[in-house]
Amino acid sequence: MPELSLLAWSLILAALVLGILAGHFGWGKRWPRRFDKLHPDYLTGLDYLVSEQPDRALDMFLKLMDANSDTIETHFALGALYRRRGEVERAIRIHQNLLAREALASEHREQALLALAQDYLRAGVLDRAERLFLQVSEVPRLRSSALAALRGVYERQHEWQQALDAYRQLAHIHAAPPTRVAAHYLCELAILEIERGDTGRARELLRQARRETAPFPRAALLRAQIARQADQPELAIRLLRIALRESPNLLLEELPHLLDLVGAERRDGVLAELVDGARSRGTSELKLLVFAAIAANIGAAVPLRPAIEAVFAQDATLNAVWNAGAGQFERIALEIGALLAHAERYRCSECGFSGRSFYWHCPACQCWESFESYAIVKLR
Ligand SMILES: [Zn+2]
């Protein structure tokens, strides 16, 4: 969310102050007939606000709010605004102040607990956020919000089993995200089992992942990894090719592994099959294959030449490079390969986070499967 400008923020605060005043006196009921009947604290609070002393202004408003129960929504609005601005300590003070009020109605208490949990989440105090979200998840009215937030907390902490449990509870109340998310949790759990050496359990988790959603290339990729470790190269090759067909975006990362598995003698045969397959499925996949091959320094392989020419012909810049090189195939492929080697390879399509590593789960915005091959995207 873009930062609010100072002016916009001042206007919002001013509107809230008016709301607070209105709430205190009651719109249309007992608006003070005479301005001099206003409590002097309001004027002091306004003065702090105008003189840019937001903490003192906030102290003043919180003190005044204690006397009035008609202004609850203003509290929540102000707290949410502070949180959105990243001024989490102020949001926390507002919500703690509400919770300290003995006369607070139970629905407002529950709402304040949820808001406080969101404050802690924003502040990165995940253990406190988790405790409060768990508490609020017992309230039927707020259950889906609390569970969705809990799922996010567990994701950030890489607590995959707990994230999966929260997902299942959300599914039970028809509020879960797409089933691919559950399949990714199962893959994360499978990776932990592979690391522990329990490949039987890992395979069972991957079967569950495929039952959640299909096609699901990540499961095929992990099964290929298990097959490779178990010295079953043919099975690993078959599974890798399934994963690459289902998600050509993986080519940049996985083509070298595939070629390593097939060995030098079978390399050109496999490349020719990959080119045929990619060509039949469309230009964008062919482009991904060509750039993956160039990045893997096999751009000069004979079966790739017509594909590289076809891809370069569709891009004005590349075509110019190609023509300027007067058909010096190997040199141009190597030069582009060197460029790709230093380029940021991936970018999150949701938040723009970019880097050289591929992630299934964006470390910046926590989206699943949002990574694209950046160098190739830029050349489109
Ligand atoms: Zn992202």
Side-chain angles (χ1 to χ4, degrees), residues 348-353 362-367 370-371:
C348 171
S349 60
E350 293 295 323
C351 75
F353 176 91
C362 175
C365 73
Q366 325 292 322
C367 270
S370 58
F371 267 49

Side-chain angles (χ1 to χ4, degrees), residues 221-257:
L221 211 58
L222 288 169
R223 277 158 63 229
Q225 187 185 330
I226 294 172
R228 195 175 183 174
Q229 284 174 6
D231 210 14
Q232 298 173 301
E234 292 310 314
L235 178 59
I237 290 168
R238 197 159 54 81
L239 290 165
L240 253 182
R241 290 188 65 169
I242 291 173
L244 291 177
R245 195 172 57 242
E246 288 174 353
S247 176
N249 223 20
L250 296 170
L251 275 161
L252 201 54
E253 207 76 3
E254 299 299 332
L255 184 65
H257 296 151

Side-chain angles (χ1 to χ4, degrees), residues 160-161 185-206 208 222 225-226 229:
W160 303 115
Q161 184 60 56
Y185 294 157
L186 288 159
C187 282
E188 296 290 349
L189 291 168
I191 290 170
L192 295 176
E193 295 299 343
I194 293 171
E195 283 167 3
R196 283 170 28 146
D198 190 345
T199 50
R201 174 74 187 137
R203 282 204 303 273
E204 169 53 29
L205 288 162
L206 295 173
Q208 289 177 28
L222 288 169
Q225 187 185 330
I226 294 172
Q229 284 174 6

Side-chain angles (χ1 to χ4, degrees), residues 62 144 166 170 173 180 305 309 347 350 370:
L62 291 180
S144 65
L170 280 165
I173 54 172
R180 296 184 84 72
R305 290 195 181 185
E309 274 175 343
R347 183 182 61 176
E350 293 295 323
S370 58

Side-chain angles (χ1 to χ4, degrees), residues 67-277:
N68 192 307
S69 61
D70 297 335
T71 54
I72 292 285
E73 293 310 324
T74 314
H75 267 93
F76 284 122
L78 190 58
L81 273 170
Y82 274 127
R83 187 194 314 126
R84 212 171 303 158
R85 262 177 70 86
E87 296 173 47
V88 190
E89 282 178 21
R90 291 189 184 125
I92 288 174
R93 277 178 55 209
I94 289 173
H95 297 129
Q96 282 178 335
N97 182 269
L98 275 178
L99 288 165
R101 293 164 66 170
E102 281 177 16
L104 196 65
S106 63
E107 73 261 28
H108 290 143
R109 181 168 301 281
E110 292 153 1
Q111 195 183 339
L113 281 173
L114 180 64
L116 188 59
Q118 287 162 341
D119 298 339
Y120 284 132
L121 179 62
R122 178 70 197 262
V125 190
L126 298 186
D127 53 343
R128 285 194 195 180
E130 178 189 349
R131 254 198 321 274
L132 288 175
F133 282 130
L134 274 172
Q135 196 178 333
V136 178
S137 71
E138 301 298 324
V139 179
R141 182 172 57 90
L142 303 175
R143 186 165 171 74
S144 65
S145 305
L147 283 172
L150 265 178
R151 195 178 63 76
V153 169
Y154 294 136
E155 274 193 3
R156 279 170 66 173
Q157 293 175 308
H158 291 193
E159 298 283 0
W160 303 115
Q161 184 60 56
Q162 284 168 297
L164 184 62
D165 293 344
Y167 180 95
R168 299 275 188 239
Q169 293 180 62
L170 280 165
H172 193 66
I173 54 172
H174 308 290
T179 53
R180 296 184 84 72
V181 173
H184 279 295
Y185 294 157
L186 288 159
C187 282
E188 296 290 349
L189 291 168
I191 290 170
L192 295 176
E193 295 299 343
I194 293 171
E195 283 167 3
R196 283 170 28 146
D198 190 345
T199 50
R201 174 74 187 137
R203 282 204 303 273
E204 169 53 29
L205 288 162
L206 295 173
R207 268 194 292 278
Q208 289 177 28
R210 286 202 313 282
R211 279 201 292 275
E212 290 289 342
T213 186
F216 191 56
R218 191 181 187 190
L221 211 58
L222 288 169
R223 277 158 63 229
Q225 187 185 330
I226 294 172
R228 195 175 183 174
Q229 284 174 6
D231 210 14
Q232 298 173 301
E234 292 310 314
L235 178 59
I237 290 168
R238 197 159 54 81
L239 290 165
L240 253 182
R241 290 188 65 169
I242 291 173
L244 291 177
R245 195 172 57 242
E246 288 174 353
S247 176
N249 223 20
L250 296 170
L251 275 161
L252 201 54
E253 207 76 3
E254 299 299 332
L255 184 65
H257 296 151
L258 177 65
L259 296 177
D260 191 30
L261 275 166
V262 298
E265 316 87 72
R266 287 161 67 193
R267 187 194 76 170
D268 281 5
V270 168
L271 281 175
E273 287 170 19
L274 288 175
V275 168
D276 285 347

